[in-house]
Amino acid sequence: NMKLLSSTERNKILEKLEKQFGISKLPWLLLQFGRDKIRAFSGSLSKQEILTLDRELRIESAGLYLLSMQESDLRINLDALHLLKEQITKNTLELDKEQAEQWFRGNDIALDKEIERGFLILKFKEDIIGCGKSVGTHIKNYMPKERRIKN
């Protein structure tokens, strides 16, 4: 079930993104699918054309999967992180080579100290490699299975 987000709903998401990651601009139309998936649409269709298409054809998805709403936090999709990387100024964590390799294998990351709970943007050197959730002394891995290193 698709829903175009109202300006109020869009502003609430932007407020959370600003507070959580420092992201203040989303230059796309935001569409919600299901209870928690937000997609960004940048095509040439108007809002009314999208609504008409959805009513007539039942759109399953449109645009880029941007983020999911999880409780009071937002988890940004890996592809969207690369589009937004210039705006990200908060809640980043630099991983070392061994931790990055574990991340790409789909493993959670053990930390040597407890950090604040919530979603973090993970980096290795200058590259953004994902969004994980701190649960105290480790980072929960959200790397999609199809993107993990196998072996």
Side-chain angles (χ1 to χ4, degrees), residues 35-144:
R35 287 184 296 136
D36 62 349
K37 299 232 185 302
I38 303 296
R39 299 183 72 87
F41 180 77
S42 65
S44 60
L45 297 176
S46 70
K47 289 180 181 181
Q48 191 55 50
E49 289 170 323
I50 292 171
L51 289 171
T52 300
L53 274 173
D54 185 51
R55 187 175 56 249
E56 301 293 327
L57 301 173
R58 299 305 317 154
I59 296 173
E60 291 293 322
S61 70
L64 172 76
Y65 173 37
L66 183 67
L67 57 88
S68 67
M69 299 182 289
Q70 298 190 350
E71 298 167 15
S72 62
D73 288 333
L74 301 175
R75 180 173 58 88
I76 303 176
N77 174 276
L78 180 60
D79 295 324
L81 284 172
H82 294 283
L83 292 175
L84 299 166
K85 69 181 177 184
E86 300 302 321
Q87 294 187 63
I88 296 170
T89 59
K90 298 178 183 175
N91 290 325
T92 62
L93 180 67
E94 179 80 27
L95 300 182
D96 61 30
K97 185 178 180 185
E98 183 181 318
Q99 290 171 320
E101 287 175 2
Q102 289 300 311
W103 181 260
F104 284 120
R105 284 186 164 68
N107 298 322
D108 291 350
I109 305 298
L111 302 173
D112 53 3
K113 64 179 180 179
E114 187 164 334
I115 61 174
E116 188 176 337
R117 293 176 181 266
F119 285 99
L120 300 168
I121 307 301
L122 303 175
K123 296 175 85 174
F124 176 64
K125 297 184 180 179
E126 294 301 313
D127 296 320
I128 291 176
I129 63 171
C131 184
K133 186 171 187 176
S134 165
V135 288
T137 58
H138 71 279
I139 306 295
K140 184 172 170 53
N141 193 311
Y142 285 93
M143 180 67 70

